[in-house]
Amino acid sequence: MGAKRFLLIMLVSLLFGGFLYAGFAKASEILPADRALVTFRRPLTQGELQDILQGYELTPTAIYMVNAGLVGTHRTYEVRSTDEFLTIAQKRTIEAMQKGLQSNTLRLKKFVEQHSEEEVLYDENLQQELRSLLNIRFQIEMTLKVAQGELPSIYAAEVSGKNVARLQSDERIASIQEFNLIEILVIRRRPPVPTATFQQEFMAPKLQTMGPHDLYRYAENIAYQQ
């Protein structure tokens, strides 16, 4: 009985070791050990990030974006060139924001169908709900504009390459946290949190001057004219 248990333990150990080795081998092809999470002193445009990556011969595996209070991540698990990676990130961000606008339009339409203007005028909770829906729309619209143009939004990136250590002397870099393969395979690092300067509670200036009547009319125009 003891011999069978020993053989079983040895077999499981060999299988686990094989899977672990295969995992390390696969990860090392896509995510080499000289990989780091880099945060920037200020948000960068895609062009500015590309200049850094090309200047240090680094490859991106993830970028973290912030704009108008919205935070997003684009990640790849395939080997891609910087141009291809950033092109795909931009395309997917645009698609996500366009879908977000469509969803927001439906929610606004549902709101005005369920609540009359008179109800909203005398209910502060409904006013707050409507203001929130419209504010989200402004956030999405502004983020879509950023994604479609060359505007700063990238506050951090995961990069790989032999020159990662050289980033220490670059004034554009706020911090560098190096990765290792164990972290890549076993521990999923949480996304970096934007600093207070990057990530502030957003309230569209236009909404701050709108009373309940104007809010409702504005929502109606979006719901029925788009």
Side-chain angles (χ1 to χ4, degrees):
M1 186 70 178
K4 288 182 179 180
R5 180 176 296 178
F6 175 76
L7 289 174
L8 180 61
I9 293 173
M10 288 297 294
L11 179 59
V12 171
S13 298
L14 288 172
L15 287 173
F16 179 75
F19 286 132
L20 187 60
Y21 176 80
F24 269 95
K26 183 177 180 180
S28 63
E29 294 176 4
I30 302 174
L31 304 171
D34 48 355
R35 179 169 171 247
L37 170 63
V38 181
T39 59
F40 308 110
R41 295 190 183 280
R42 62 171 181 81
L44 303 179
T45 65
Q46 287 196 11
E48 290 172 329
L49 175 61
Q50 194 165 24
D51 287 342
I52 292 176
L53 297 174
Q54 290 178 345
Y56 292 96
E57 298 180 347
L58 300 173
T59 302
T61 55
I63 56 174
Y64 300 91
M65 298 161 284
V66 61
N67 181 72
L70 296 182
V71 179
T73 304
H74 177 72
R75 182 182 301 279
T76 183
Y77 294 98
E78 302 176 22
V79 177
R80 300 185 187 279
S81 67
T82 300
D83 287 343
E84 183 183 16
F85 175 85
L86 293 177
T87 297
I88 293 174
Q90 181 182 37
K91 179 181 178 182
R92 290 182 178 173
T93 301
I94 290 172
E95 290 174 349
M97 293 304 105
Q98 289 173 337
K99 289 180 180 178
L101 284 177
Q102 293 172 2
S103 176
N104 181 265
T105 299
L106 292 175
R107 291 183 66 187
L108 285 169
K109 186 175 182 180
K110 184 177 180 180
F111 181 93
V112 297
E113 287 176 347
Q114 293 180 339
H115 305 288
S116 67
E117 181 178 353
E118 186 175 3
E119 284 182 274
V120 174
L121 290 176
Y122 293 98
D123 191 325
E124 292 186 1
N125 289 329
L126 288 178
Q127 293 172 26
Q128 183 60 37
E129 182 180 348
L130 182 55
R131 196 179 298 273
S132 177
L133 283 173
L134 290 171
N135 191 63
I136 290 171
R137 187 175 190 86
F138 275 102
Q139 289 178 289
I140 295 172
E141 287 176 339
M142 292 180 67
T143 302
L144 178 60
K145 184 178 180 180
V146 167
Q148 291 173 329
E150 182 66 2
L151 298 173
S153 65
I154 303 170
Y155 70 94
E158 291 177 18
V159 301
S160 63
K162 296 181 180 180
N163 296 322
V164 166
R166 290 177 53 197
L167 291 171
Q168 296 283 1
S169 60
D170 195 305
E171 294 181 353
R172 295 167 291 188
I173 308 302
S175 67
I176 301 174
Q177 301 175 43
E178 294 189 7
F179 281 58
N180 57 53
L181 287 179
I182 293 178
E183 288 179 312
I184 294 168
L185 290 173
V186 181
I187 304 173
R188 284 298 301 272
R189 285 199 174 188
R190 294 181 179 179
V193 178
T195 64
T197 305
F198 296 171
Q199 173 73 335
Q200 298 177 348
E201 184 176 352
F202 177 84
M203 175 58 72
K206 186 172 183 178
L207 294 179
Q208 296 181 31
T209 60
M210 282 187 179
H213 174 77
D214 292 331
L215 286 173
Y216 195 87
R217 292 300 183 190
Y218 192 70
E220 278 188 320
N221 289 336
I222 295 171
Y224 295 117
Q225 293 185 10
Q226 294 191 6

